[in-house]
Amino acid sequence: MSLILLTGNDLSLSDLAAIAAGAPVAFSTAAIAAMEASRAVVDGAVARGDVVYGVNTGFGNFADVRIGASDLEALQRNLVRSHAAGVGPTLPALETRALMVLRANVLAKGFSGARIETARLLIDCLNRGIHPMVPEQGSVGASGDLAPLAHVALLLIGEGECQVEGRTLSAAFALTAAGLKPVTLAAKEGLALINGTQLMTGIAALALIEAQTLARTADVIAAMTIDALLGTDVAFDPRIHDARPHAGQSASARNLKRLLGGSALRESHRNCGRVQDAYSLRCAPQVHGAARDVQAFVRRTIEIEMNSATDNPMVFAEAGVLLSGGNFHGEPVAMAADFLAIATAELGGISERRIERLVNPTLSGLPAFLTEDGGLRSGFMMAHVTAAALASENKSLAHPASVDSITTSANKEDHVSMGPIAARQARSVVANVRRILAIEALAAAQAIEFHRPLKTSDALEAAHAAVRAAVPKYDADRVMGPEIERIADLVGRGHLLRAAENISGDLE
């Protein structure tokens, strides 16, 4: 993988995905200069004996406690140890790497005051695949993601545990084995490592990347369902959508029109007399498109946050000052993650309704539950129940976390964002919708086969073939769970989408 330079200003979602997957990183020359300048300001404040929050004072409600010069290293070490209070499941490696590089990118901006050697150790660990064990829970999203980031900082001081190539090791052993040395944190450095929104941003960013794939894949799978149910493409006429020009809606309608073009199934019933289809078919562009428009907003918010300084205090090198503020507050990301969960849940909700139409003989005109010998066989009966269960679970997960708050730190932190909870909820919704879409893809593929020898469009036949390459036709009842997961993997990684796009061209 190509080396990605961190400047603090232009890290993209695609960069983040590549680094999470293992791409190496380095600091740009400009970033190194910015970090050196900000560190000089911190060193100057310490030398003069200036009273600066987090440099020579306590933290939170201890902000008024002055710390002597001889205790400044202990202050930062104690901060990291005491704040490493996270609990719950350990972050997966992809999200841990996202968390690490996002924090490194903050340091690269030059507002944090960390020394170059400390920042370099962070990316050295990233490049060598030394991943700290970071519990998911323990952050309320202001003052940033303190607990999770403290578990990252523990690694840099040679404490705690980490994972290397699937093995759990002590941080001290892993660093030594890699030829690296832990750092002794200087003034402000502990705070520079833990004060920010990088947990919530990393989880939300990776969830968004997959959600964008799901939105386009939903168009492919919906088109398969529409054709299998002998639906019409009239509802996707561009004149309709030009009259209500939401960008996402228009894009989805164009996708559906293109995907259905040339279908023999469509031509077989063009003059059947049916006037219009149910909403889950006819209004797919309106629902899929609204989700796309939310994703566009979330993307703008996340990419801004990925390249923002979220420290407190912030170091302004040109003026030579440290200023206290509240950029660590995660409200922008929390709201965006909530919106992402809601939008993605709707992709799953309308997909579940289409599955119902496929398995219900009254609505589809196809064999009940898409199986021959119904009664002896149950076919897709329980697969639809699974989709319904996932869609209903998403209704709870889509309840916004950002409208909640709880007072912490002796009422100093009296309004918090709950951004990490919002991000984790969004991640869970994305996983559920991946599986709902997989069930619809399997059901639509089965339904199409009841119309043989008629074929759907070339693009949809390619998508159908991709499903069948992974899962054979259901000509007898068998265990469906592993097969749903197999197709969900194809959906999540974009393989089903690319199968259609190889014929249709890139979808919007």
Side-chain angles (χ1 to χ4, degrees), residues 185-205:
L185 297 175
K188 196 187 181 295
E189 284 199 302
L191 198 56
L193 291 170
I194 74 171
N195 211 189
T197 61
Q198 285 67 57
L199 175 79
M200 67 182 88
T201 304
I203 294 174

Side-chain angles (χ1 to χ4, degrees), residues 298-315:
V298 174
R299 179 168 187 150
R300 288 194 299 273
T301 301
I302 293 296
E303 288 196 324
I304 289 171
E305 192 72 9
M306 285 167 53
N307 294 287
S308 293
T310 54
D311 297 82
N312 181 49
M314 294 174 63
V315 183

Side-chain angles (χ1 to χ4, degrees), residues 42-265:
V42 174
D43 289 339
V46 171
R48 291 190 301 271
D50 297 348
V51 179
V52 181
Y53 172 76
V55 175
N56 50 18
T57 74
F59 307 98
N61 204 47
F62 293 129
D64 295 329
V65 177
R66 177 74 182 270
I67 309 299
S70 63
D71 289 326
L72 295 187
E73 289 181 357
L75 173 69
Q76 300 301 315
R77 182 173 62 252
N78 290 343
L79 172 71
V80 170
R81 288 173 174 170
S82 66
H83 282 53
V87 297
T90 300
L91 284 181
L94 283 175
E95 291 177 351
T96 303
R97 291 183 63 80
L99 172 61
M100 294 170 74
V101 74
L102 288 175
R103 193 62 212 170
N105 201 49
V106 171
L107 300 181
K109 290 188 72 67
F111 293 99
S112 304
R115 293 172 301 163
I116 296 298
E117 54 263 43
T118 302
R120 279 196 174 126
L121 181 58
L122 178 57
I123 63 170
D124 284 343
C125 289
L126 186 67
N127 289 337
R128 286 167 169 77
I130 304 172
H131 303 142
M133 303 281 280
V134 181
E136 288 189 355
Q137 295 169 291
S139 174
V140 295
S143 301
D145 295 320
L146 295 172
L149 284 163
H151 285 272
V152 176
L154 272 182
L155 170 63
L156 305 188
I157 64 173
E159 298 184 13
E161 292 185 323
C162 61
Q163 288 194 329
V164 181
E165 297 180 345
R167 296 180 299 155
T168 299
L169 305 171
S170 72
F173 178 84
L175 291 176
T176 299
L180 301 173
K181 293 182 179 180
V183 295
T184 299
L185 297 175
K188 196 187 181 295
E189 284 199 302
L191 198 56
L193 291 170
I194 74 171
N195 211 189
T197 61
Q198 285 67 57
L199 175 79
M200 67 182 88
T201 304
I203 294 174
L206 294 178
L208 171 62
I209 289 167
E210 182 174 348
Q212 291 175 319
T213 298
L214 295 185
R216 288 188 293 154
T217 305
D219 285 346
V220 174
I221 296 171
M224 292 173 67
T225 296
I226 290 164
D227 227 16
L229 291 173
L230 305 182
T232 177
D233 57 356
V234 171
F236 313 133
D237 189 300
R239 291 170 292 186
I240 294 172
H241 303 280
D242 288 346
R244 192 198 195 193
H246 292 293
Q249 175 180 324
S250 296
S252 179
R254 286 190 292 268
N255 287 346
L256 288 163
K257 189 78 172 175
R258 187 194 309 180
L259 288 163
L260 288 163
S263 167
L265 264 177

Side-chain angles (χ1 to χ4, degrees), residues 367-387:
F369 302 109
L370 300 173
T371 185
E372 297 171 347
D373 296 327
L376 174 63
R377 299 175 184 170
S378 295
F380 279 72
M381 181 187 297
M382 195 51 54
H384 171 244
V385 172
T386 297

